[in-house]
Amino acid sequence: MTKRIFRSICLVALTVFLASVVLFMGVLYEYFSNVEQTQLKMQTTLAAQGVTNEGIDYFHDLKVKNYRISWIDTEGNVIFDSASDTAEMENHLEREEVREALSSGYGESKRYSATLMERSFYSAQKLDDGTVLRLSISQNSILTLLLGMTQPICIIFVIALILSIVLAIQVSKKIVKPLNEIDLDNPLSNEGYDELSPFLRRIDSQQRQLRGQKAELLQKENELNTIIGSMNEGMILLNQKGKIISINPAARKLLDAGTDCIGSDMLSLCRNLELQEILTKALHGERGENIIRLHGESYQIDADPITSENIVKGAALFFFNVTEKEKAEQIRREFTANVSHELKTPLHSISGYAELLKNDMVKENDKIPFAGKIYDEAGRMIRLVEDIISLSHLDEGADDMQRENIDLYTLAEKAVQSLEPEADTVCVALELSGVPAPLNGIPQLLYSVIYNLCDNAIKYNHENGKVMVNIQNENGMVVLSVEDTGIGIAPEHQERIFERFYRVDKSHSKAVGGTGLGLSIVKHAAKIHNAKVDVKSHVGKGTTVIVTFPK
């Protein structure tokens, strides 16, 4: 703006200067022309008086420098001319000033010569004898005068230019200074030009609107960042060129990306071909999804195009960890297959024995053993179905079961007492030790934990072996320990023993009547009570299962 003001002031100053020069020269030129015409008339009058008194003798020894004198008779012939030979001169009767002098006694005229670039003034007066005396003088044209005054005009022009520049700089700074000092953060507090008041009021109004919009946008941005920042699922927003414009912490961790990945190409972070395929679809307006492996886990990736006015502006990627879902699906399939297999075996036995009895193909002495076989297999099926129902109930969270303040040691006493007959049958000593341990929990589930652990310890023990149950209070925790001197568990099986229907020794498990669901029930019941289960075992030396409950 300063430059524009500076140029405008300089242009105006120079324009005024040039206009002044032209006007001044024109006015002066016209003024001096009139003065010169007046003087010429006076000189003509004086010369006419001299010629009237002396006649042609007046011109003898007359020295005239600037004037030209012509004496013209009544016929227009030149009698005398101070500048030219009268014999060669043409008739002057038609000259304007001569005609006026002959008719009115005095005449004058002005003529311009383009060849000589000068203007001539003529003044003619009629004498008493009817002749005409004419005086003329030449005057340079205004253009000639300007050319002659080029040097002083140039000097004046340079001086005027310098003054214009200096004044323009000072004036432009003075004009712009209030504008430069405007406080746009507080428009209404400025003191300056009144003409700027509507503009400043408009700025103040717009700033209030912008501040409100900014606060609203910041709030929404903070809300969005809080939401996507707390998401366990990864989320990435991309522009239409596949560049990252937003990424939440979960996605950065998943892709091992730093905080400086904004603006990077998505495929530079993850070169997975399946990801590239669904990303390409999304950027072309098609929704894509697939499951890929990252860091040893399975992730479902959903890619949705982001459109505006039917134009794809980018894409949104969502990463869902489906490892547990896949495991659960696998466990469900295995569970279904195992349940079918576990139920099919006793059903075949029951069906076979029943068919023999139905067809009276059994001796009378064998009917009671056959009925005992059917009873045992039916009981095994009942236990299996009951365990399946209990496990299903635990999967749902057991929300309908009431929690109570109980003593885990008392529950352990009941479980040990109920299992003593079974332990005596296989010659296994069952011992309980410890101290009272108050705990808030679900009695049925806590009892099932103790019962199943002790039942397994008895079944998978050696003859004349021991099972030691201990209850302790340690550092605000209740610790249940079930130790046996049984067959033990190999290290490669220890992590899987809590899976449904998983058996280390299937033949032995069936021989002792296990359903394969006892430890699964223990695991789920412990999980409901936020308890931790640890297993320590050595093959041939025994197993210790420790369950730690928070009080």
Side-chain angles (χ1 to χ4, degrees):
M1 184 175 180
T2 305
K3 292 182 179 179
R4 295 185 63 181
I5 295 175
F6 171 77
R7 287 195 297 265
S8 299
I9 294 175
C10 287
L11 182 61
V12 169
L14 293 177
T15 302
V16 170
F17 170 76
L18 293 176
S20 299
V21 170
V22 172
L23 182 62
F24 184 72
M25 291 295 295
V27 171
L28 287 181
Y29 186 75
E30 189 63 29
Y31 171 75
F32 285 113
S33 296
N34 292 333
V35 170
E36 199 162 17
Q37 185 70 48
T38 303
Q39 290 179 346
L40 181 61
K41 182 179 180 181
M42 184 183 302
Q43 294 292 338
T44 302
T45 303
L46 294 174
Q49 186 65 37
V51 170
T52 300
N53 294 333
E54 299 180 18
I56 199 168
D57 293 335
Y58 176 78
F59 300 108
H60 292 163
D61 300 326
L62 180 64
K63 295 179 181 181
V64 180
K65 293 182 179 180
N66 298 324
Y67 295 97
R68 178 181 179 181
I69 301 175
S70 301
W71 190 14
I72 304 166
D73 62 14
T74 57
E75 301 297 329
N77 297 315
V78 178
I79 303 172
F80 173 81
D81 189 272
S82 61
S84 300
D85 186 1
T86 57
E88 298 177 359
M89 295 179 68
E90 60 184 8
N91 192 280
H92 281 38
L93 188 62
E94 296 300 323
R95 301 295 173 89
E96 179 182 355
E97 65 279 2
V98 174
R99 289 202 313 273
E100 288 184 5
L102 291 174
S103 61
S104 62
Y106 178 79
E108 62 183 30
S109 66
K110 301 174 184 178
R111 285 193 288 276
Y112 178 76
S113 173
T115 304
L116 299 176
M117 294 187 68
E118 60 181 15
R119 186 169 62 166
S120 298
F121 295 92
Y122 295 93
S123 176
Q125 185 171 337
K126 184 178 180 183
L127 302 180
D128 294 338
D129 58 358
T131 60
V132 175
L133 182 66
R134 187 187 70 176
L135 268 70
S136 67
I137 189 172
S138 296
Q139 183 186 48
N140 291 330
S141 66
I142 190 169
L143 181 60
T144 305
L145 290 176
L146 286 174
L147 291 176
M149 297 176 64
T150 299
Q151 184 175 355
I153 289 177
C154 289
I155 294 173
I156 295 174
F157 177 78
V158 170
I159 295 172
L161 180 62
I162 294 173
L163 290 175
S164 298
I165 292 174
V166 173
L167 292 175
I169 292 174
Q170 296 298 324
V171 172
S172 59
K173 285 183 178 179
K174 187 175 181 180
I175 292 174
V176 174
K177 184 178 179 181
L179 301 178
N180 291 333
E181 293 177 350
I182 289 178
D183 183 5
L184 294 179
D185 293 330
N186 301 288
L188 299 182
S189 65
N190 295 284
E191 294 182 0
Y193 302 112
D194 294 338
E195 292 79 5
L196 293 177
S197 296
F199 176 68
L200 295 176
R201 284 195 295 270
R202 183 68 178 271
I203 291 179
D204 182 68
S205 174
Q206 291 183 344
Q207 282 189 346
R208 287 198 301 270
Q209 295 177 4
L210 290 175
R211 283 194 292 269
Q213 293 173 356
K214 182 180 179 181
E216 184 178 354
L217 289 174
L218 286 175
Q219 181 181 357
K220 291 182 178 179
E221 182 181 2
N222 291 334
E223 291 175 355
L224 178 62
N225 290 336
T226 302
I227 293 172
I228 67 176
S230 60
M231 288 172 57
N232 293 325
E233 296 78 14
M235 187 187 79
I236 302 176
L237 299 179
L238 308 171
N239 63 14
Q240 57 188 353
K241 295 182 180 179
K243 304 291 185 181
I244 298 174
I245 58 177
S246 179
I247 180 170
N248 71 344
R252 282 204 304 269
K253 182 178 179 181
L254 180 62
L255 300 177
D256 297 324
T259 55
D260 58 345
C261 65
I262 302 298
S264 302
D265 193 281
M266 176 61 195
L267 299 179
S268 66
L269 296 183
C270 183
R271 297 185 178 276
N272 188 287
L273 294 178
E274 295 172 339
L275 174 61
Q276 182 178 359
E277 181 180 347
I278 62 174
L279 178 58
T280 302
K281 284 185 179 180
L283 292 176
H284 284 83
E286 298 180 20
R287 187 180 185 277
E289 64 177 39
N290 205 339
I291 295 178
I292 65 174
R293 299 285 295 178
L294 293 171
H295 301 298
E297 295 186 323
S298 298
Y299 286 87
Q300 177 181 327
I301 299 181
D302 292 345
D304 297 303
I306 300 173
T307 59
S308 176
E309 299 179 355
N310 296 324
I311 299 176
V312 177
K313 299 295 186 179
L317 292 180
F318 297 91
F319 295 78
F320 301 96
N321 192 331
V322 294
T323 305
E324 293 298 327
K325 181 181 177 182
E326 288 187 341
K327 287 182 180 179
E329 185 66 21
Q330 180 66 22
I331 291 174
R332 186 191 65 79
R333 289 193 296 267
E334 292 178 355
F335 178 72
T336 302
N338 288 331
V339 167
S340 300
H341 177 74
E342 293 293 336
L343 289 175
K344 182 173 66 175
T345 302
L347 280 173
H348 278 307
S349 298
I350 293 171
S351 177
Y353 289 131
E355 186 177 2
L356 291 174
L357 290 172
K358 176 184 176 183
N359 295 327
D360 199 18
M361 297 174 64
V362 181
K363 295 179 181 180
E364 192 67 31
N365 294 333
D366 293 333
K367 286 184 178 180
I368 293 177
F370 270 50
K373 291 285 186 181
I374 293 174
Y375 178 78
D376 291 340
E377 293 297 337
R380 181 182 170 193
M381 286 183 61
I382 290 171
R383 290 193 300 274
L384 181 61
V385 170
E386 287 177 347
D387 285 350
I388 291 173
I389 292 172
S390 297
L391 199 55
S392 176
H393 192 192
L394 295 178
D395 281 338
E396 294 175 358
D399 293 333
D400 58 336
M401 293 184 174
Q402 296 295 323
R403 288 180 176 266
E404 299 177 9
N405 292 322
I406 56 174
D407 181 7
L408 193 64
Y409 187 85
T410 303
L411 281 181
E413 283 182 329
K414 293 179 181 179
V416 168
Q417 289 173 2
S418 65
L419 287 170
E420 279 180 348
E422 181 182 340
D424 292 339
T425 303
V426 293
C427 300
V428 173
L430 188 57
E431 299 177 359
L432 173 64
S433 62
V435 296
L439 183 69
N440 183 270
I442 302 173
Q444 305 95 303
L445 298 185
L446 294 174
Y447 179 84
S448 69
V449 169
I450 301 171
Y451 185 92
N452 280 299
L453 290 177
C454 293
D455 186 45
N456 274 3
I458 294 170
K459 289 178 179 177
Y460 296 96
N461 214 320
H462 299 294
E463 188 176 352
N464 299 320
K466 287 184 179 182
V467 175
M468 293 153 283
V469 182
N470 182 264
I471 308 292
Q472 295 291 335
N473 290 305
E474 296 180 4
N475 300 322
M477 300 287 186
V478 175
V479 180
L480 164 66
S481 172
V482 179
E483 182 180 358
D484 65 61
T485 58
I487 61 177
I489 306 169
E492 63 269 17
H493 298 293
Q494 291 180 13
E495 291 185 358
R496 301 193 61 189
I497 60 174
F498 295 100
E499 295 179 8
R500 304 175 190 193
F501 295 111
Y502 186 81
R503 294 185 177 93
V504 176
D505 186 348
K506 295 185 179 180
S507 60
H508 184 72
S509 297
K510 291 185 178 180
V512 298
T515 64
L517 295 175
L519 290 180
S520 292
I521 293 173
V522 170
K523 177 184 176 181
H524 281 73
K527 184 178 180 181
I528 290 173
H529 289 85
N530 296 320
K532 179 182 178 183
V533 182
D534 295 311
V535 178
K536 298 178 182 178
S537 182
H538 300 280
V539 177
K541 295 183 180 181
T543 302
T544 302
V545 179
I546 302 172
V547 184
T548 305
F549 297 92
K551 282 191 176 182

